[in-house]
Every structure is written in structure tokens, then in C-alpha cells.
Amino acid sequence: MIQCAIKSFEFNATPQDYVEKGLYMTLTIKKLNKVYGNDFTALHEIDLEVNEGEIFGLLGPNGAGKSTLINILCGIVRKSSGEVSVCGFQVPEQHIDVKKIIGVVPQELCADGFFSIQQVLEYQSGYYGIKNNLEYIEYLLKSLSLYDKKDEIARHLSGGMKRRLMVAKAMVHKPKILILDEPTAGVDIHLTVSLWELVKTLNKQGTTIILTTHNLKEAEEICDRICIINKGNILALDKTENLLKRLGDTKLMCLFFKDMPTNLEAIDDFKYSLNKNEKSISISYSGHEVSKVMHQVNSLNQVAMDLKIKEDSLEDVFKHLIGVA
Amino acid sequence: MNNLVGFLTLFKKETDRYMSVAIQTLFAPLVSSLLYLAIFGLPMREMSSQIVGVSYLAFLVPGLMMMGMINNSFQNSSSSLMISKYTGTVSELLVLPISSFEKVMAYTLAAMGRGLIVGFLTLVTAMFFVDIPLNNIPLIIIVCLLVNSSFSLLGICAGIWAKNFDQMAILNQFILMPMIFLGGVFYSIKNLSGLFQKLSMVNPVLYMIDALRYAFLGSSDISIFVSMSILVAINLISFTAAWWIFHSGYKLQS
Ligand SMILES: Nc1ncnc2c1ncn2[C@@H]1O[C@H](COP(=O)(O)OP(=O)(O)OP(=O)(O)O)[C@@H](O)[C@H]1O
Ligand SMILES: [Mg+2]
């Protein structure tokens, strides 16, 4: 970890509870509504809280309202009604204080046409009141594999590089809350991994993370809590592991044999199905029955050639809730 | 100013922006001013003292300065905002912890800088060819500042209002350009017939050019107090409009 001397902010309107850490939720949203134009409801009576230091995932299909919610937090979209507060500061009344605390990577790709990456990041630091931030900028550029492009005009970068530049911009002032709206869209696999590493590092240092992604594996691995929304309504809001347990804790063991076993009564305690062509047996069992299922499989007295285990993934939960299963 | 460093950074960025394309933003306007000076000035040398008692060239220079300053201060803030709409960076303006007042000031001061540089370069270059009286230097500076600030502010309003470059071009070609040309850059309204003279009087640019002429030459068509009052009023109105645009999120927030 690189130690950097960064001038921290002096907030003008410091609510007492901001000093006495932990008295408020990092993000509190109550009965939030957003109506675009006169009649299109993008968010409907949203209630949610994000705790300090967690990685919070906001999932949902296209048009669910994820970006709308994020854009309300950072001032790009006006709320229609409801309460939103960030670290005790109200949106939009105390928007300047809110904006100092958050760093946001918007979903829309955008890049400056006049300045190099290095300059863009220096300006970005200045906007947040930081005068000399070269060391941290270098650290971010290296972490996001942009260092050798630092003198390139931002607009001339490839799509994935632009996205990474936007991530660097959002991080430049070491925000308390980092909001990432599909930060990995268009970023290659290798760099996606290092991007999430960086996010996890920042999280360990105390940054609260709010993210959206369409990659459910990513979300399952990284998020502490997940909120699934669809058509502006919250369908589920829970710890990731609880969400995964929702469909029951059943797993499927698939065994492939050279010769199909005949004494199938040995596994009668479990539900199973046969596939004679593949010479395979699929046995469903729940998590705590592992040793029992192993024991019974052994007594089939046939050599298993291969073994696959399928667990419920977030994708199944997601499909189940959205109703496309 | 709550976020002084933020404001200064935004000002610096806007300044660096036009400086990075200085050929286009500073020298091209200078060249076109000098061309006007050559085209209109040289053939009309003999007409000299017919206008407010000075040579036509000395009469022309404040007009050309004014044209360069109006065009460039307006151009700077409006095109900067148009370009950031086009590249998508305009929404970043909404996310920054910089107040509406600071944003307006940063954009305005940067655009004023460009207008003032163009005006100054036009004057200095013209002084090589023309003998121009510098009657009231403090007043010259004040008028230049006020003209540049008003059009920088109007440029902000236009840059946010215009949906696309077409609308911007319409504003430029059908409103701004006629206002400048009909505002007496090249002639004195005293030489116009009654009806055209009356029509000219509703053009605010007329008062600006006239105020600058007064500051340079010491005499003009309109009372300097009237011109200055109009300049101050335009500044107040356009500042309020620009501030309101950022404050309300007009056209930027949805
Ligand atoms: N500026 C706007 N004006 C009108 N309607 C809008 C606007 N922005 C978004 N919407 C509508 O609001 C709904 C939610 O959009 P939003 O961008 O929040 O979805 P999302 O969950 O981020 O989707 P995605 O996964 O595609 O990014 C969509 O139906 C969209 O058409
Ligand atoms: Mg979105």
C-alpha cells in the first residue's frame, strides 16, 4: 500500500453524528420515487440502507432502475420524492458535502478530447480540493494498468481503457463511498480481475463500495450484500449467502462411470436420476450430507471416472426472482 | 468560495483548453480582425475625419476589438459546454463538489481571458499601423471587462440551451453576427437614416461599441452613462441566468 499525503477535506456542515462514527448508516434511502417525464416510474418506494465498509451490489435487468438510483445519489438525476441521505448529509439539499464523500463511475462512457490521462487526473484531484496528488495518481495508473498510456489523450483510448480511466477518476480523491455503475463493462478478463483486486483493497482500507454489474458471478464473489431490483421495485435485499440459501441448500452431484452400477438401492436415501447414455448418475443432496452421500456412493462398488458438483448460483436466484427461469 | 482549489482548477482547465488550441482560439480571430482592418480601413482612409472627428482607422479599431472580444468570449464558454455535451463529460460537471457560483465564475473568467487576449492582441497589432488615441485607459479596461464578462455569461447560457451544433450555429449566424455587424463596428449610427437608427438603438452591442469608442476617442454618439448602465444591467441579467441554469440543473439534470 502506498502512503500518500493527501489533504483531507474540511466539511463545512459537519453533523455531530458524522464525528461520532457509526451513528448513522452510510447511505439511507427512504420511500424514494423517481418519475421521468410525467408518467414513467423508474423507481418506486425504494427503501434501503448501506452500512459503512460493506460492498453492496445492486443487480437487476436492463431498465431496472439501477443507474437511476445511482445518478440520484451523485446529482445527475433529481429525485421525485423520498429521502436520501449520505453519511448524514441530505440529497439534494447538502449536495456539495455529499459529492465530496462519494466517487462515482457513471455507466456512460465519456472521455475528454483535449487532455492526457495524467492531466485529466490532476484536474480531477483539483476539483476535490487536492493540490498535489501525483503519487496517488501514479499508484492508480499503475494499479489500473494505464501507466504507459498516461500521456495519451483520453479520447484516443480504447473503450476498456476509457472505463478504467473513469474508475481512476472516481478514486482520485479517496472517497468514503465508491459507486461503480458497471465498471467492468468492456474491460478484458485479466484487467477485470485486477480492477476487483483494487476495489477489494480500497474496501479493506474502509471504503464503502456500491456497485452494479450484469456479471452475477462477479457479484456473488465480491458483494457482502445484494439488492435485486426490477422495474423500480426491490425484489430481494439480503446478505449474499442468505440470498443463495433461499432456493434451499441443495447440490447436485453428477458421477460418470465406466460401467453403470447395478446395485442402485445403495443410494436409495437420496433423490437421483440416471442417464444411461452418458453412464452417469445425478444425486441431489444438501450441504450437511456430504459424508453420507460419499459413503453410499462408495458402496456402489464401481469406479467413478469423473465427478461434477453443481451448486445453486446467484444466477439461479436471479432468474427465479425476475421470472425468466 | 467554499472550494477555492476546485474553482481554480476548473478555471485552469478551461484556460488550458483554449490555450491548447491557441492557433484556432487566439490567432485566427486576430488574423480576421486584421483582415477587416485592411479590407475596410485602407480603401476608406480618405473618409477620415467625417466620423466623430478622428481618422476612420482609429474609429474602426475599437469596433474590431469589440467584435473579437464578443465573438471569442461567447465562443469559449458556449463551445466548451457544447463539446462536453458531445463527449459526455458534461454530466461530470454535475458530480463535482463545486457550487453553481464557482462553476459560473470559473467558466466566465476563463472565457473572459480569451476575449481579453484577443482584444489586447488586436489593439497592440493595430497600433503598429494606426494612430489610436488612448483617451481614458481605466475606462477602456472597465468596458472590456464588462463586455467580455457579459458575453462569457451569455455563452454559458447558450452552450447549455443549445441541443446541438446546428442550434449553436443558428445562434451565432442569425443573432450574434447581425447584432455585432449592425451594432456599428464599421460605421457610426449617426450616418444611418431615421428608421435604421431607431432600430439600431435596441441592439445592446451598439452601446458596448459606443462605450469603448468613447473610452478610446473621448467622444461618441451615446452618453457614456447610458451605455455603462446598459452594460451593467446586461451583466446582472446574464449572471443571474447562468447561475440559475447551473443551480436548477436546467437541461443537464433529468
Ligand atoms: N433521462 C431519462 N428520461 C426518461 N426515462 C429514463 C431516463 N433515464 C432512464 N430512463 C428510464 O428509466 C428506466 C430505468 O433506467 P436505468 O438507466 O436506471 O436502468 P438500469 O437498471 O441502469 O439499466 P441497465 O442495466 O441497462 O443499465 C428505463 O426504463 C429507462 O428507459
Ligand atoms: Mg444502468
Side-chain angles (χ1 to χ4, degrees), chain A residues 75 78 99 110 123 126-127 169, chain B residues 3 16 92 94 248 253-254:
Chain A
R78 262 187 302 252
K99 285 167 183 170
C110 62
Y123 292 133
Y127 297 149
K169 278 169 83 174
Chain B
N3 183 356
D16 291 349
E92 288 178 355
L94 296 170
S248 68
Q253 261 184 335
S254 43

Side-chain angles (χ1 to χ4, degrees), chain B residues 21-35 72 114 118 121:
Chain B
V21 281
I23 301 263
Q24 191 186 327
T25 52
L26 299 178
F27 297 107
L30 175 64
V31 169
S32 74
S33 288
L34 295 178
L35 275 175
N72 285 283
R114 173 166 155 196
V118 170
L121 289 179

Side-chain angles (χ1 to χ4, degrees), chain A residues 303-315:
Chain A
V303 184
M305 309 294 293
D306 200 0
L307 167 74
K308 275 182 195 156
I309 291 179
K310 196 179 162 290
E311 275 183 84
D312 279 326
S313 67
L314 190 56
E315 196 163 330

